[in-house]
Each structure stands twice: as structure tokens, then as C-alpha cells.
């Protein structure tokens, strides 16, 4: 190998090593910041003053014919039927076709949850749905609080005036994703006068139609490499949260180079903290109300003075370089 080629090779190896090391350092910084902001509790009163109750116990699942199953969540109708012994292995032979009727029904998921004073007495109580699959009407104590139609987003419902100390009933009436997709496709055709492709696969594929009209995992309607199981259920946690003054809604962190034109430039980190704040005073414009955000490990301190009406929930954000 000539000396010039050897130098080029060494330079390439050094550049690769530098890029890998820089990436590792940035990931470590992001993990460190998120660990400080998320793992450590935050509150304006006491560190443990934001209680949460996960609804991860046994749920009652009812179908329209009166059938009842009991199953733990996160899960879905298929996993509940497998656990109860009502269906066999969905992947065996043509069971995907034999069990296709499951995805054409409506199901009610019911949880009877006992709420203590630690949550019931809070100014704000939220029902946080991390992942619902997919089209559902949500009720708490027979009061409809909202609906869902997207498997990929988190839904947060304010149930402050509904939750009581003691027994509460949380229900999700989950529609058929297959039927919902067909209704939406028909509505589109009627309004615009044309169909959106692809419409339906061939009969031999045993797949469902109009998957592009529902915000759900597309492969669940069937693919060339897998069977069709358009599941319905609660695929991530459902949580009751309570707080008096505020909570961290989200933390966003992204790296960037101080000088993007230089490959060896210093990496920086932009961090945004989004807060939900409740004004529990009787003064509509409190002048002395402030929020202090401090990360001692990073030498970071920020003071916010949000202005919200009495009894109102507002949102404040803090964006800083670290």
C-alpha cells in the first residue's frame, strides 16, 4: 500500500472514530438530562405530592352478545380470548381466517378502580391514556369524557369533577377498526367522488380493506409477510394522576453543533420543559406566583411567572441550552 493511501485510510478511520465518540457523548448527555428531569420528582410543594394510580389490574371485557372475559391490561381482545381458552393459536394453519370475526365486533373494557384520598382530594385529576387501540369512547362513572381515534398518541382527559373517593368505573367502548375504516372510506368517496388506493386486497390474501383510513399499525390489517389481526384493546398503560399546583407534561431534548460548518465543533443540547400549571388562588392575576426550575447537577436555574385565571389550568414552557 502506498504511503498516500495509508494516510487517507488513517484519516478516514480517525474521522469515523471521532463521529462515533461524539455521538456517544451526545447520547450520554441527553440520557443524563432526561434522567434528572423525569426520574427525580418535581413539585412546588413536596416531592411526592403528585400521586399516580395505574389501572393495570384485571379488566372486564364485554362483547355485544353478552359474553364476558376477564383479562389484564395492557392487552387486547385476542389475548383475552387466548387466555380464556376460547380460541387457539391464531398463527396455526388458517386460524387467522377463522378468527377474523373477532375484529368486526365492538367491545367494552371496564375497570372498577378504588381511588384514595391522595388522588381524590387533588385540585386536578387526569386520566392519562398512553395507548388505546384504537377507536373508542371513554366514560368515567357514566360520564362521557372524550374519544380516541389514533393508536399512536397519548390522550389526557380532565376528570377532576368526576372522580370520587372510593369506587370509580372507567370504561372504553372500542369500535371495530375494520368497520370504522370502511365508514371513513365511504365518506371520502361520497364527498370527493373518487376512491383512495389501495382499496381491498384479493380474497386469497385474507386481508382487510381501507387500512389507510385508520391511524393504526398498518400491518395489523394484513401484509404480504403476515396474517390479518386488526386488534382492539388498551396496548399501553392507563393512569390516574393527581396534582395541586403543577406537573411536568413533557421533556424535549435535541443536540446540535455550535458551528455546523466544522466537523469537530462543540456539541450543544437544547432542552425544553413543558409544564401544566394550576392556579389554586382566588386572585385572577397573582403577582407573586412563580415557578422555579433548578437542575443543580448542570448549574441550571430558571424562574417562570405564569399568569392564569383562578381555577384555570395553563401551560408554561422553558427552553434553555445545556
Amino acid at each position: 500500500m502506498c504511503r498516500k493511501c495509508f494516510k487517507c485510510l488513517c484519516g478516514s478511520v480517525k474521522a469515523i472514530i471521532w463521529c462515533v465518540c461524539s455521538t456517544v457523548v451526545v447520547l450520554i448527555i441527553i440520557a443524563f438530562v432526561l434522567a434528572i428531569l423525569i426520574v427525580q420528582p418535581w413539585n412546588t410543594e413536596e416531592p411526592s405530592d403528585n400521586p399516580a394510580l395505574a389501572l393495570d389490574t384485571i379488566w372486564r371485557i364485554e362483547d355485544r352478545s353478552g359474553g364476558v372475559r376477564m383479562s389484564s391490561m395492557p392487552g387486547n381482545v385476542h389475548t383475552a380470548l387466548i387466555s380464556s381458552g376460547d380460541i387457539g393459536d391464531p398463527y396455526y394453519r388458517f386460524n387467522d381466517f377463522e378468527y377474523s370475526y373477532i375484529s368486526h365486533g365492538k367491545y367494552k373494557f371496564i375497570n372498577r378502580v378504588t381511588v384514595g384520598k391522595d388522588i381524590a382530594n387533588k385540585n386536578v385529576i387526569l386520566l392519562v391514556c398512553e395507548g388505546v387501540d384504537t377507536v373508542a369512547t371513554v366514560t368515567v362513572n357514566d360520564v362521557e369524557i372524550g374519544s380516541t381515534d389514533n393508536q399512536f398518541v397519548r390522550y389526557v382527559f380532565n376528570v377532576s369533577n368526576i372522580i370520587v373517593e372510593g369506587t370509580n368505573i372507567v370504561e372504553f367502548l372500542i369500535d371495530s377498526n375494520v368497520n370504522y375504516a370502511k365508514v371513513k372510506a365511504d365518506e371520502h368517496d361520497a364527498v370527493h367522488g373518487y376512491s383512495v388506493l389501495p382499496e381491498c386486497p384479493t380474497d386469497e390474501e385474507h386481508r382487510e380493506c381501507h387500512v389507510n383510513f385508520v391511524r393504526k399499525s398498518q400491518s395489523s390489517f394484513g401484509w404480504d409477510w403476515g396474517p390479518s389481526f386488526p386488534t382492539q384493546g388498551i396496548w399501553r398503560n392507563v393512569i390516574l394522576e393527581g396534582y395541586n399546583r403543577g406537573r411536568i407534561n413533557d421533556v424535549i431534548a435535541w443536540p446540535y453543533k455550535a458551528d455546523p460548518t466544522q466537523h469537530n465543533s462543540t456539541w450543544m443540547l437544547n432542552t425544553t420543559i413543558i409544564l401544566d400549571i394550576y392556579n389554586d388562588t382566588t386572585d385572577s392575576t397573582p403577582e407573586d406566583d412563580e415557578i422555579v426550575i433548578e437542575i443543580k447537577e448542570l448549574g441550571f436555574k430558571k424562574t417562570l411567572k405564569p399568569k392564569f385565571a383562578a381555577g384555570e389550568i395553563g401551560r408554561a414552557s422553558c427552553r434553555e441550552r445545556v
Side-chain angles (χ1 to χ4, degrees):
M1 181 183 293
C2 66
R3 182 176 299 177
K4 184 175 181 180
C5 293
F6 181 76
K7 288 183 178 180
C8 292
L9 178 61
C10 291
S12 299
V13 172
K14 288 180 180 178
I16 293 172
I17 294 174
W18 185 90
C19 291
V20 171
C21 292
S22 299
T23 303
V24 171
V25 170
V26 170
L27 292 176
I28 291 174
I29 293 173
I30 293 175
F32 179 67
V33 172
L34 294 179
I36 293 173
L37 295 174
I38 296 176
V39 176
Q40 293 186 0
W42 172 86
N43 194 265
T44 54
E45 302 165 4
E46 298 177 3
S48 60
D49 199 54
N50 287 6
L53 176 63
L55 279 61
D56 54 2
T57 55
I58 300 299
W59 287 66
R60 177 186 175 96
I61 305 174
E62 299 178 354
D63 60 35
R64 307 202 74 168
S65 64
V68 175
R69 304 292 181 273
M70 308 299 289
S71 182
S72 59
M73 291 293 129
N76 56 57
V77 176
H78 285 77
T79 57
L81 292 175
I82 293 172
S83 299
S84 64
D86 288 274
I87 63 173
D89 184 353
Y91 295 101
Y92 179 71
R93 293 179 64 84
F94 298 106
N95 278 353
D96 60 318
F97 178 69
E98 296 295 329
Y99 298 153
S100 62
Y101 69 91
I102 297 173
S103 301
H104 289 258
K106 284 188 176 183
Y107 301 90
K108 182 179 290 187
F109 287 66
I110 306 170
N111 188 285
R112 189 180 296 269
V113 57
T114 301
V115 177
K117 291 182 179 180
D118 58 332
I119 292 180
N121 291 342
K122 295 301 179 185
N123 290 330
V124 181
I125 306 173
L126 303 175
L127 182 69
V128 181
C129 305
E130 298 287 353
V132 179
D133 183 10
T134 296
V135 182
T137 301
V138 188
T139 62
V140 175
N141 295 335
D142 294 326
V143 178
E144 184 176 327
I145 61 172
S147 60
T148 69
D149 60 5
N150 192 325
Q151 180 184 359
F152 308 111
V153 302
R154 176 180 61 180
Y155 289 88
V156 180
F157 303 104
N158 191 328
V159 292
S160 304
N161 298 322
I162 304 173
I163 291 293
V164 297
E165 182 183 351
T167 302
N168 296 263
I169 299 177
V170 179
E171 297 182 357
F172 290 79
L173 179 59
I174 302 182
D175 199 356
S176 164
N177 293 303
V178 178
N179 296 341
Y180 173 86
K182 184 180 186 309
V183 169
K184 290 300 179 181
D186 291 344
E187 289 177 354
H188 176 276
D189 295 354
V191 172
H192 300 283
Y194 65 91
S195 300
V196 176
L197 300 177
E199 290 191 74
C200 290
T202 63
D203 293 339
E204 291 76 15
E205 294 177 276
H206 296 161
R207 289 157 57 185
E208 301 292 351
C209 306
H210 310 299
V211 63
N212 46 354
F213 279 91
V214 58
R215 291 296 295 144
K216 173 176 170 58
S217 175
Q218 300 292 279
S219 61
S220 67
F221 272 50
W223 215 265
D224 55 0
W225 47 259
S228 172
F229 295 116
T231 53
Q232 299 151 269
I234 301 170
W235 74 282
R236 299 188 69 183
N237 290 330
V238 176
I239 305 169
L240 275 174
E241 295 182 1
Y243 66 90
N244 282 331
R245 291 290 286 114
R247 68 167 191 145
I248 294 179
N249 179 284
D250 205 352
V251 178
I252 304 170
W254 66 98
Y256 68 97
K257 286 185 176 182
D259 185 356
T261 64
Q262 300 296 321
H263 75 278
N264 59 348
S265 173
T266 302
W267 281 97
M268 305 293 288
L269 188 66
N270 260 332
T271 304
T272 300
I273 306 171
I274 302 173
L275 309 172
D276 288 340
I277 308 299
Y278 177 77
N279 180 6
D280 61 351
T281 68
T282 57
D283 186 354
S284 60
T285 56
E287 297 298 331
D288 57 347
D289 196 20
E290 65 179 29
I291 304 161
V292 179
I293 304 171
E294 184 175 8
I295 308 174
K296 294 181 180 179
E297 291 84 349
L298 299 178
F300 172 82
K301 189 173 183 179
K302 183 80 172 182
T303 300
L304 303 176
K305 292 189 176 182
K307 303 297 182 184
F308 306 126
E312 180 180 79
I313 301 173
R315 180 157 293 176
S317 63
C318 169
R319 177 178 176 180
E320 288 293 329
R321 294 183 194 176
V322 179

